[in-house]
Amino acid sequence: MRFLPVFLDLAGRDVILVGASEAIQNKCRLLLAARARVRWYAAPEDRASDGTVQVFARAPNESDLAGAALVVSAAGEPFDRQVSAWARARQIPVNVVDRPDLSSFIMPAIVDRGDVVVAVGTGGASPVLARRIRERIEALLPARIGEFATLLGRWRPRVTAKLKTFAEKRRFWESAVDGKIADAALSGRLTDAEALLAEALAGAAWDTGGSVAIVGAGPGDPDLLTLKALRAISDADIIFYDDLVTQGVLDRVRRDAERVFVGKRRGRPGIGQVEINRLVVEAARTGKRVVRLKGGDPFVFGRGGEELGHLRAAGIPTTVIPGITSALGCAAEAELPLTLRDVATRLTLLTGHLVEAGEVDWSGLADPATTIVVYMGLAAAANIRDGLIRAGRDPATPAAVLARGTWADSKSVVGRLDALPALAPRIGEGPALIIVGEVVRHSAPWLGASKLDEAVA
């Protein structure tokens, strides 16, 4: 991040504009909206001075910059360079339109909803991209969000006077922003919203005790987080996360939340489940909002059920937020339907640990209409092949190995069941799924398989 995003109070302060371009005229409108006093040099000939803008037909001198809070220039070379040098010498923030090399600040694309303002910047690299992002954000924000913010601002002193602790205030405002108060305000019923605020504050007795959310982070792509999961990690005080939670997902966590890594990988030492349980309970008992963040879905080979049972026994308020399990996310990326009418009518999920331990009854999986998905199954590829073929599954049954699904470096390899042990090593390190069944023939990797894949098959 080269430019630090900040919001400046320019009300009643002098800002220098230089140039007559359309870009400068747009900047003038923004500055007037921020209630700045504008001194405009080399202005358009048809622009006259008024109560908020002083217009000068001439170019500025260095002394004209005295007392300015900001300088914005689009006069063209070589004068832009001179204006930039003058401003920097006086330590005045300067923006030269479309010249980030001459600028000490940039003007972002702005979403203006009154007291709610969103600024989008690309470091000066692509103003058009910034505008496109702004347009998407504008489409998401409720039209009355600014009015709602103004209402909350009016009530802030009263809330601060009554609620003494940070935790109480935070819980109060979260209930206001997420509940029926917000519903009333955003639908235009501001009087009702104000009455609800008064009622809530009068009866405020906020539970500041800790709680735990067991959250599924999905297969890796942060865009596959559910909205409820995103809200949970945005509100958390502390996050306990596993190895399969990607950096992209962690980037969505509240910035000031504490992050504790509790993951482990096959063949490497890691923290035990008993210690994880102890840490999570301990954090909740100190009043923190805890998120136990797990790759995929916490209830599909994620020990979420075990952790939920421990938290119940400890009397900790707990919620479970599902995630897109790896089988669904990885198969969707590979365009591989796990069930398909007249092809596959049954789906079985297994874990490679059970396969390696010899705890799978393969006789129930020989039906060609059954799709089999094995989590963490790379080391068990030979056992999967041998068990299914002994049970009567056709050795030519299609099989796929999907590694690092939905990650930037995901890879898929397909072939026959009897070649499965040769397929597995070709996808590299990282989490992987093995899928066996006729549905693999309908996947993108199979339909676009390279000659090398066909040779392995």
Side-chain angles (χ1 to χ4, degrees):
M1 181 174 68
R2 176 183 169 191
F3 293 95
L4 178 69
V6 296
F7 291 89
L8 295 176
D9 183 1
L10 294 176
R13 303 182 68 189
D14 289 338
V15 176
I16 304 295
L17 295 183
V18 184
S21 69
E22 181 180 353
I24 283 289
Q25 295 181 56
N26 292 336
K27 300 294 189 291
C28 183
R29 284 193 290 271
L30 284 175
L31 293 165
L32 292 177
R35 293 177 290 167
R37 293 187 312 207
V38 176
R39 301 206 307 265
W40 194 345
Y41 293 85
E45 294 181 359
D46 60 348
R47 179 76 197 211
S49 297
D50 56 35
T52 55
V53 182
Q54 285 183 280
V55 175
F56 303 87
R58 63 175 177 85
N61 299 311
E62 182 177 7
S63 60
D64 291 321
L65 274 58
L70 297 177
V71 175
V72 181
S73 182
E77 284 284 15
F79 200 64
D80 279 337
R81 189 176 298 275
Q82 182 63 75
V83 170
S84 176
W86 287 341
R88 288 173 184 268
R90 291 175 173 266
Q91 296 186 327
I92 301 172
V94 59
N95 172 256
V96 178
V97 176
D98 290 334
R99 290 294 304 272
D101 57 311
L102 298 179
S103 303
S104 60
F105 78 95
I106 59 175
M107 298 281 275
I110 294 173
V111 179
D112 185 359
R113 293 285 193 277
D115 282 346
V116 175
V117 177
V118 181
V120 180
T122 59
S126 178
V128 172
L129 176 60
R131 288 200 297 271
R132 290 291 180 266
I133 297 171
R134 179 200 67 196
E135 290 164 4
R136 294 192 179 189
I137 294 173
E138 284 183 320
L140 293 172
L141 287 179
R144 293 187 171 91
I145 192 75
E147 297 174 15
F148 183 35
T150 301
L151 172 63
L152 297 180
R154 289 203 308 270
W155 276 80
R156 194 172 190 85
R158 278 176 271 186
V159 173
T160 300
K162 177 166 184 178
L163 304 181
K164 302 305 180 183
T165 70
F166 175 80
E168 286 178 321
K169 295 171 189 175
R170 183 173 169 187
R171 298 291 170 90
F172 177 86
W173 289 122
E174 286 174 349
S175 70
V177 169
D178 295 333
K180 58 185 180 180
I181 296 170
D183 292 340
L186 296 177
S187 63
R189 295 181 289 111
L190 292 174
T191 301
D192 291 346
E194 191 137 17
L196 289 169
L197 270 171
E199 179 184 332
L201 187 58
W206 301 99
D207 178 12
T208 56
S211 62
V212 176
I214 301 174
V215 179
D221 182 348
D223 287 341
L224 293 178
L225 282 167
T226 67
L227 292 176
K228 195 168 185 178
L230 188 59
R231 176 176 292 180
I233 65 176
S234 298
D235 288 344
D237 298 310
I238 183 169
I239 304 273
F240 294 92
Y241 66 97
D242 287 342
D243 186 72
L244 296 182
V245 177
T246 62
Q247 186 59 49
V249 170
L250 291 175
D251 287 343
R252 308 291 177 93
V253 170
R254 199 178 100 217
R255 291 189 177 183
D256 57 344
E258 183 181 354
R259 304 179 188 193
V260 181
F261 174 68
V262 292
K264 60 182 179 179
R265 293 293 296 276
R266 180 186 181 88
R268 303 177 193 173
I271 187 170
Q273 188 63 51
V274 171
E275 180 64 7
I276 293 173
N277 291 344
R278 185 190 71 78
L279 289 172
V280 172
V281 169
E282 182 181 83
R285 283 180 172 162
T286 63
K288 294 179 179 178
R289 281 178 299 185
V290 181
V291 164
R292 178 69 177 99
L293 191 60
K294 296 171 167 290
D297 181 89
F299 280 4
V300 180
F301 304 129
R303 293 193 172 181
E306 298 172 38
E307 295 184 8
L308 175 62
H310 184 84
L311 290 163
R312 283 173 174 166
I316 304 296
T318 305
T319 58
V320 180
I321 300 175
I324 295 177
T325 188
S326 298
L328 302 182
C330 299
E333 182 183 52
E335 300 178 21
L336 192 163
L338 294 174
T339 63
L340 190 63
R341 188 171 56 176
D342 301 328
V343 175
T345 57
R346 182 181 173 198
L347 174 64
T348 298
L349 306 181
L350 302 172
T351 171
H353 301 312
L354 293 177
V355 176
E356 291 182 81
E359 298 178 10
V360 177
D361 179 8
W362 297 107
S363 64
L365 303 174
D367 182 357
T370 298
T371 301
I372 301 163
V373 179
V374 184
Y375 288 65
M376 302 164 284
L378 288 184
N383 291 353
I384 296 168
R385 175 199 61 189
D386 295 344
L388 285 172
I389 291 176
R390 277 199 307 268
R393 202 73 184 249
D394 186 345
T397 300
V401 183
L402 310 180
R404 302 174 299 280
T406 79
W407 298 14
D409 62 342
S410 64
K411 184 173 182 180
S412 303
V413 179
V414 293
R416 288 165 47 126
L417 172 60
D418 55 8
L420 186 57
L423 293 175
R426 297 174 54 198
I427 52 81
E429 296 292 327
L433 293 174
I434 290 175
I435 302 180
V436 179
E438 293 300 321
V439 289
V440 174
R441 295 187 193 276
H442 300 267
S443 68
W446 187 279
L447 296 174
S450 68
K451 292 183 179 179
L452 181 59
D453 289 328
E454 291 169 1
V456 173

